[in-house]
Amino acid sequence: MKNSVAIVDDRPFFERAVRYGLEYGILGREHLSRMEADAPKGIVQIADHFGTAYLRTDLETAVARMANLISLYLEDFSNGDLFTAAGSLRDNTLLSHSRGGSEMLKRLHAMPGETSMHRRTVDAAGQKFFVNERTFAFPLSLSSYREQLRQCQANQMRIDFARWLARLLNAQPDEYEDFSAEEVIRSAMLVLHVGPATLEIPSKTQFIKLVETLRKKSFKAKPAVLDTFLRDAPEDFRKLTQQAMQDFIETALPRLKSVEKSADEILHAEAQGAFFIREMPEEDVVAYDKLVAREWVRITKGDADDPAVLATIFLNVATGQPAKAKALLKEAKGIIQAFRERGFDSAAVLAFIEEHAPFEQKEDLKAMWLEDLKPDAEVHLADNDPQMPDAYMERSLQWFRKNCMASWKGSSR
């Protein structure tokens, strides 16, 4: 039985190309002399760029950098063919090959490493750091370079596709710059799948309505909407749209139709599988809350942005009273008396918030109760200072009127 041994040539491609050229007569003595004259110039330039040409270590590092840059460019240009590479060394200077490798790395750095939609500008310091690492500490093989380039090009195509969708669906660049291409695409597919009368990236309220439409038993998709949308689309974007819709139907649609999570929770809780939503300044916040938290709007009377309303409701709940947004004098006294007898039922307040509040407000409301309202109320509603008794609740009622919605006038006696 014969054993075969694979021989791996791990020398830099630059060195292999030179040896090949000499062996097969592509390169002669005059070409080596030109390289020997070129090399010091390039080494000094590289050393000065990343450090100083006056330090031996920087010069030695520059030699390795130059060899790596030339190897990367040569192997890419020749596609690994030593004959072509040797011919390039014969016909062009070392400095041009080194610059070619540097430009390859700069182009790679300028391309998107992910699919966020923010505007990209050339960062000179970041570019220098990238080239610094990729020419010495972590040099790129051609295969690694091409794989990273392929991924970056795919990211760019994804971003361009998302921008095209956003433009056709009436969204502006400054509206989606903090989102990813995937979030923009996912929202576009939702709109095209449901097929509302106006095709546009949804606001929060519109998103809730789209999901509610999806969840109706009578809902039927409108493939004609997608066909019309793609009638004049570029071929590449037509294919990407069809692929994106298939992915939406397979992955996002089941989550949207499941009643395990409310539409409000899907909109605000999911980092993965999130959606791009347009902020509409003119959109009525109360109208949105009515869609996602009807009982909350009823209890707060639509004034959930008023701290006094929230304080009144939370103190009622914390003392076992009905959740009300205003308090009569006798009700305020009942809250104070209940607190002095039993303290606050903090768990009841947290459960009330969890059950009724809009999802995106829950954590802030819990923090308001635990870190602000509760400790402040425990101090001012108590009567445990023998030096300053408050048996008639006068001080406590003054605090209540200042911080809550009190519906009485005049004396608290």
Side-chain angles (χ1 to χ4, degrees):
M1 180 176 180
K2 294 182 179 180
N3 293 323
S4 61
V5 179
I7 300 175
V8 178
D9 190 344
D10 60 357
R11 291 174 299 170
F13 189 80
F14 172 36
E15 180 184 343
R16 290 159 55 197
V18 171
R19 289 183 180 275
Y20 182 93
L22 292 172
E23 183 178 352
Y24 289 95
I26 301 169
L27 297 174
R29 182 64 239 177
E30 69 278 14
H31 302 113
L32 288 183
S33 297
R34 190 187 67 200
M35 291 183 199
E36 290 169 356
D38 272 353
K41 300 174 189 176
I43 291 167
V44 168
Q45 289 177 7
I46 293 172
D48 276 335
H49 183 68
F50 292 108
T52 173
Y54 296 102
L55 287 177
R56 180 178 176 179
T57 53
D58 284 357
L59 286 170
E60 291 173 346
T61 300
V63 172
R65 293 185 194 280
M66 189 171 186
N68 288 330
L69 287 170
I70 294 172
S71 291
L72 181 64
Y73 174 78
L74 263 183
E75 190 172 5
D76 182 63
F77 168 77
S78 67
N79 203 26
D81 180 68
L82 291 173
F83 180 85
T84 303
S88 182
L89 289 172
R90 177 195 61 206
D91 300 333
N92 302 283
T93 66
L94 285 186
L95 294 180
S96 68
H97 289 88
S98 176
R99 280 194 297 270
S102 179
E103 289 303 313
M104 287 174 64
L105 292 176
K106 289 176 181 177
R107 283 196 299 272
L108 181 61
H109 175 263
M111 298 187 72
E114 30 70 39
T115 59
S116 59
M117 301 286 285
H118 64 270
R119 295 179 178 88
R120 288 174 170 83
T121 56
V122 175
D123 173 13
Q127 182 188 82
K128 182 176 180 180
F129 180 80
F130 179 80
V131 176
N132 178 20
E133 283 206 322
R134 293 308 185 182
T135 54
F136 185 69
F138 305 103
L140 282 175
S141 67
L142 180 62
S143 60
S144 295
Y145 174 85
R146 287 182 171 176
E147 175 56 29
Q148 289 189 29
L149 183 65
R150 185 199 63 77
Q151 184 59 58
C152 288
Q153 289 170 336
N155 291 341
Q156 187 62 61
M157 175 60 84
R158 200 80 173 154
I159 291 168
D160 292 342
F161 173 49
R163 286 175 176 158
W164 176 76
L165 287 171
R167 177 171 57 81
L168 292 183
L169 296 177
N170 200 30
Q172 301 302 314
D174 60 345
E175 293 179 310
Y176 57 68
E177 65 179 359
D178 293 328
F179 292 83
S180 70
E182 285 69 29
E183 290 166 332
V184 174
I185 293 168
R186 205 172 287 120
S187 288
M189 294 306 106
L190 170 62
V191 172
L192 293 172
H193 185 73
V194 176
T198 302
L199 297 182
E200 61 180 2
I201 295 293
S203 66
K204 291 199 300 183
T205 298
Q206 290 167 338
F207 177 85
I208 299 301
K209 290 179 178 178
L210 287 172
V211 175
E212 288 181 346
T213 300
L214 275 178
R215 292 181 176 181
K216 291 178 179 178
K217 291 184 178 180
S218 59
F219 170 76
K220 290 184 179 179
K222 302 174 182 177
V225 172
L226 183 62
D227 294 339
T228 302
F229 182 81
L230 293 177
R231 184 176 298 153
D232 299 318
E235 186 58 28
D236 285 347
F237 289 164
R238 177 193 301 274
K239 291 179 180 178
L240 286 172
T241 304
Q242 291 167 341
Q243 292 168 4
M245 181 58 76
Q246 187 60 37
D247 180 65
F248 172 84
I249 291 171
E250 292 175 359
T251 60
L253 190 58
R255 291 188 298 108
L256 291 171
K257 297 186 78 169
S258 171
V259 295
E260 266 187 36
K261 291 184 179 180
S262 67
D264 184 39
E265 188 173 358
I266 290 173
L267 182 57
H268 294 102
E270 298 192 6
Q272 297 296 323
F275 291 81
F276 160 50
I277 300 300
R278 296 170 64 204
E279 293 294 334
M280 305 288 282
E282 69 276 13
E283 188 168 81
D284 189 347
V285 175
V286 175
Y288 173 78
D289 287 350
K290 282 181 179 178
L291 284 173
V292 300
R294 292 179 177 83
E295 183 66 6
W296 177 258
V297 174
R298 184 191 70 77
I299 294 171
T300 62
K301 310 295 185 186
D303 291 325
D305 58 344
D306 187 339
V309 169
L310 295 176
T312 308
I313 294 170
F314 291 169
L315 289 175
N316 269 308
V317 173
T319 53
Q321 318 298 319
K324 295 176 63 176
K326 290 184 179 180
L328 299 169
L329 176 59
K330 65 177 182 179
E331 292 169 334
K333 287 184 175 181
I335 289 171
I336 297 168
Q337 186 61 41
F339 164 71
R340 291 179 177 181
E341 292 175 359
R342 301 184 299 275
F344 289 138
D345 184 352
S346 191
V349 178
L350 298 178
F352 174 83
I353 294 171
E354 188 63 35
E355 181 179 357
H356 297 297
F359 185 85
E360 64 177 322
Q361 300 175 27
K362 287 180 181 179
E363 294 308 311
D364 287 342
L365 291 170
K366 290 175 184 178
M368 171 197 169
W369 166 251
L370 293 172
E371 301 169 15
D372 185 12
L373 179 59
K374 177 176 176 286
D376 196 33
E378 285 174 335
V379 171
H380 290 92
L381 300 187
D383 181 26
N384 50 18
D385 186 349
Q387 303 299 318
M388 298 181 65
D390 188 33
Y392 294 103
M393 304 183 185
E394 291 182 353
R395 287 198 309 277
S396 294
L397 288 169
Q398 287 177 2
W399 180 89
F400 194 98
R401 291 189 66 170
K402 181 179 178 182
N403 293 276
C404 303
M405 292 298 291
S407 58
W408 73 87
K409 298 180 179 179
S411 173
S412 59
R413 298 297 295 270

